[in-house]
Amino acid sequence: MTLAARAHAHLSEAALHGNLTHLSRRAATPLLLPVKANAYGHGLREIVTLAARHPDVWGFAVATPREAAQVAALHTGRPTLLLTPPTPAEVPVLADLGVRLPVASLAEADALPAHARAHLKVDTGMNRLGARPEEAIRVGARLAERGLLEGAYTHFATADEPDLSFAHEQLRRFRTVLDALPATPQPLLAHAANGGGILSFGALPGMRLARPGLTSYGFAPPHLRAALPLRPVMTLTAQVTHLHTAHAGETVSYGGLWRAPRDTQVATVGIGYADGYPRNATGRAHVLIAGERRPVLGRICMDQLMVDVTGLNVQRGDPVTLWQQEDLTVTDVASWGDTIEYEVLTGLGERVERVVGSG
């Protein structure tokens, strides 16, 4: 007997492929698709499998060596770039898997095996990882001398903000490095644009890849949403597990935060903050059930939440939509939880089953 999950993340292949097409056309480059953090909560295996079918996806970007190994094990035939530094012991293992490695120092460049492929990481102002431009030029020259330099990249700190002045400065610094690097047998795979960069700048001359993260999954800052018709890839649903009546004057959930003003029909739903639904959305959250938008009652629990279903025809096992592509979105849930879409999506737990659909 197969035991069913109580909550499901429904993934739209059409939405993902549409987003990737729009982003690749606007950037005028193939895409290096970030699938870190379990593909932004959507499911690494599911998203990599779907995206590998898209002609504009050059490869995948991850944040940890374990993620890199997981993508490599899927045998998509597409390259994988590790964005953060591996330990010395991990370098030969990853190189043997064909993972492209980030390099930001001469020591790292000298330690690479002869069969490795490297992407020079340039810090143009993010001040998080990478070599500053002057050092990056020296490191890039060493990598080129060893025949290991495949790409070079930087990361915009403010490309999704209305003021693009610092993003322009970062781009200028990056181009200074690129212009100083020696020629490579194959054109250097330079990449800088994240999703905000693609929406703000469009095509960037000289860049051969782009790395759209959250935009690939259908989300953009409010001032950039008109740039492309992106669609959220995920719809999240859970099941009604219990129905009961809370009588007038009774409270619901921890702390007694909500008191019934009248006899209220309550549906308990099998999802909670352990699954990634934000506890901070307590008192503001709504869901869709039986075709209506209804409030979540009282404190959101670890494994469950309660909904007012008075007057609705609801049965145990009925689906409840926590978010969808429009009308009730991840953006709404993030707002109720005083957070951002990234945190809500990447917090989606393993108890939520990922299900791929074509629509």
Side-chain angles (χ1 to χ4, degrees):
M1 177 182 177
T2 301
L3 301 178
R6 296 287 179 87
H8 296 84
H10 306 270
L11 309 177
S12 167
E13 181 175 12
L16 177 66
H17 279 216
N19 295 341
L20 297 176
T21 296
H22 290 308
L23 289 160
S24 180
R25 288 177 179 173
R26 183 168 177 84
T29 65
L31 304 178
L32 175 56
L33 177 64
V35 292
K36 58 183 181 171
N38 201 24
Y40 290 59
H42 291 67
L44 185 142
R45 175 182 293 274
E46 291 79 5
I47 292 297
V48 167
T49 301
L50 292 176
R53 302 172 189 165
H54 196 284
D56 295 326
V57 173
W58 177 84
F60 302 100
V62 297
T64 69
R66 179 170 291 184
E67 290 174 338
Q70 289 171 335
V71 175
L74 295 176
H75 301 293
T76 64
R78 310 293 178 96
T80 299
L81 170 65
L82 177 64
L83 296 170
T84 60
T87 65
E90 291 167 337
V91 167
V93 177
L94 294 167
D96 287 347
L97 291 173
V99 175
R100 276 57 172 177
L101 297 170
V103 176
S105 72
L106 291 173
E108 290 172 350
D110 291 339
L112 289 180
H115 63 290
R117 297 186 191 181
H119 284 226
L120 174 67
K121 171 61 173 171
V122 185
D123 179 8
T124 56
M126 183 76 169
N127 274 304
R128 186 172 63 177
L129 293 171
R132 291 179 181 269
E134 300 81 2
E135 178 65 11
I137 292 169
R138 290 189 286 271
V139 175
R142 182 69 60 84
L143 289 169
E145 178 185 326
R146 296 195 61 203
L148 307 181
L149 183 62
E150 179 183 62
Y153 68 110
T154 193
H155 188 63
F156 287 127
T158 60
D160 56 355
E161 300 288 339
D163 182 355
L164 295 174
S165 56
F166 185 59
H168 281 290
E169 174 61 19
Q170 285 191 271
L171 188 58
R172 185 196 66 77
R173 295 173 185 175
F174 187 47
R175 290 194 190 283
T176 298
V177 174
L178 297 179
D179 291 344
L181 293 177
T184 53
Q186 299 296 324
L188 186 72
L189 297 176
H191 44 107
N194 50 11
I198 294 174
L199 297 180
S200 295
F201 293 125
L204 291 173
M207 302 300 149
R208 295 185 177 273
L209 295 172
R211 303 187 313 271
L214 195 64
T215 50
S216 299
Y217 303 98
F219 298 92
H223 71 285
L224 292 173
R225 287 175 190 163
L228 288 177
L230 303 176
R231 283 202 298 151
V233 172
M234 182 194 297
T235 296
L236 180 66
T237 66
Q239 292 181 350
V240 173
T241 60
H242 181 71
L243 291 161
H244 65 282
T245 299
H247 296 291
E250 292 181 342
T251 61
V252 171
S253 195
Y254 293 110
L257 300 181
W258 186 85
R259 187 178 299 275
R262 49 170 168 72
D263 287 358
T264 302
Q265 192 71 8
V266 177
T268 300
V269 183
I271 192 169
Y273 61 78
D275 303 294
Y277 197 85
R279 184 175 182 268
N280 280 353
T282 291
R284 289 174 281 187
H286 286 73
V287 301
L288 293 174
I289 183 168
E292 290 194 15
R293 186 167 174 149
R294 288 299 182 94
V296 174
L297 304 178
R299 182 82 70 193
I300 293 166
C301 306
M302 181 182 289
D303 313 300
Q304 301 161 96
L305 54 80
M306 281 65 73
V307 178
D308 182 351
V309 294
T310 305
L312 299 180
N313 181 16
V314 176
Q315 307 297 324
R316 282 186 61 186
D318 282 357
V320 178
T321 300
L322 288 305
W323 63 67
Q324 58 182 10
Q325 291 185 336
E326 54 188 21
D327 298 327
L328 179 65
T329 68
V330 172
T331 303
D332 295 318
V333 176
S335 176
W336 296 330
D338 291 325
T339 185
I340 57 176
E341 294 103 334
Y342 291 87
E343 187 172 20
V344 174
L345 288 167
T346 59
L348 205 61
E350 63 180 11
R351 298 192 303 192
V352 178
E353 183 177 353
R354 277 68 172 176
V355 181
V356 175
S358 59

